Amino acid sequence: MSTAFNGPLRMRYGGVRDLVLAMTVVLGDGRVLHLGRPVMKNVAGYDLQKLFIGSYGTLGVITDVTFKLSPNPRRVQTLSVPVPTLFKGLAWGQALLHTSLVASSVMLLRGGSRWRGEHGDVLVYTAEGQPEDVETEMKLVAGHLRDLGAPEPTSLPDSGNVLWAEWLGRSAAPEDLVIRVGVAPGAVSEWVQQAAPLLSESELLVDLGNG
C-alpha cells in the first residue's frame, strides 16, 4: 500500500489510489488519523489518504485500509502471441491498446518457460468482464493481429495478472539485479528501444497498459 505498487489490473479497475476509500494512519509522534469514509463519495476537498499511498512510510504507518470492491468478472480470456523481435512485440501491443475496452492486461514477456515463445518473447492480452464483451473484444484482437501479420494466437489458462505475479515471484539468484522502471504508457516503447542494448540478455516484463 505505502509503495503504490500496481499490477496490470490497473488498466481495467484503476490503481491503488482509485480503490482506497478509507484508512487509519499512525504518525511519527503517535497521533492516529482516521481518513476517508467507507462510502464512494466521502470528501468535498482533497482525499488526504491518497497522500500516504506511495509515500513509502515516510509520512506515517498505514495500519488499516478500506477498499472499494468489484465483483469477479464472469469471463476471463487470455491470448498469447509469440513475437519475432522485441520491437515488433511493442508495436503490436501498442496497436492493440487503441482498440481495448475490457482489457485487464497487455504485456510483453521474456523469461519463464511456461509462456515462452519460439524467440523468447511473447505478447499477452487478457480481457475480462461480461461474456459478450470479452468474446467481441477477443474477436477484434485476433482480427487485428492477423492484419498486423502476427502468428495465430493461442489461449492461456491464466490471466495476465496471474502471469505477472508468477513472473515477479520467481526466485532470482543472489547476484541478479532486478530493476523496476515506471514511465508513462505512451513512452514505454521509446524507453525500451533506448535501453535495448542493456536488455538483450535480460529477462523482461513490459506492462504496456500501465507503463
Side-chain angles (χ1 to χ4, degrees):
M1 175 60 62
S2 62
T3 63
F5 191 80
N6 291 287
L9 289 176
R10 179 182 182 180
M11 70 179 298
R12 183 74 171 91
Y13 301 102
V16 172
R17 284 185 173 88
D18 305 309
L19 301 177
V20 171
L21 298 177
M23 67 169 56
T24 301
V25 180
V26 179
L27 302 182
D29 59 5
R31 287 181 294 170
V32 178
L33 301 183
H34 300 283
L35 309 173
R37 291 290 185 272
V39 293
M40 287 299 298
K41 182 63 177 177
N42 58 63
V43 64
Y46 181 71
D47 286 342
L48 191 60
Q49 62 266 29
K50 289 183 170 62
L51 184 66
F52 293 88
I53 301 172
S55 67
Y56 285 80
T58 58
L59 303 178
V61 178
I62 300 173
T63 61
D64 185 74
V65 181
T66 301
F67 289 100
K68 179 179 74 172
L69 300 179
S70 298
N72 287 330
R74 295 183 63 186
R75 177 174 295 180
V76 179
Q77 187 173 349
T78 301
L79 294 180
S80 170
V81 184
V83 298
T85 66
L86 179 63
F87 304 122
K88 184 70 73 173
L90 289 169
W92 292 349
Q94 291 287 355
L96 294 180
L97 283 176
H98 295 302
T99 59
S100 64
L101 294 176
V102 294
S104 61
S105 67
V106 182
M107 302 185 301
L108 191 62
L109 292 168
R110 174 190 296 166
S113 58
R114 192 161 71 86
W115 57 75
R116 180 173 298 169
E118 179 182 356
H119 301 279
D121 298 333
V122 62
L123 180 65
V124 173
Y125 189 105
T126 299
E128 58 183 73
Q130 294 295 327
E132 298 83 0
D133 297 336
V134 173
E135 183 178 351
T136 299
E137 178 144 326
M138 284 311 194
K139 287 181 179 178
L140 292 174
V141 168
H144 203 4
L145 287 171
R146 285 193 295 270
D147 294 340
L148 292 170
E152 192 68 22
T154 58
S155 295
L156 293 180
D158 293 322
S159 69
N161 193 64
V162 171
L163 297 178
W164 172 82
E166 182 179 305
W167 193 95
L168 289 179
R170 292 174 302 133
S171 58
E175 66 274 11
D176 287 346
L177 177 64
V178 181
I179 299 176
R180 177 175 180 240
V181 180
V183 297
V188 170
S189 293
E190 180 183 357
W191 183 88
V192 173
Q193 291 179 28
Q194 291 176 351
L198 301 175
L199 302 174
S200 58
E201 301 298 327
S202 302
E203 296 185 348
L204 181 69
L205 186 153
V206 183
D207 186 351
L208 293 167
N210 299 304

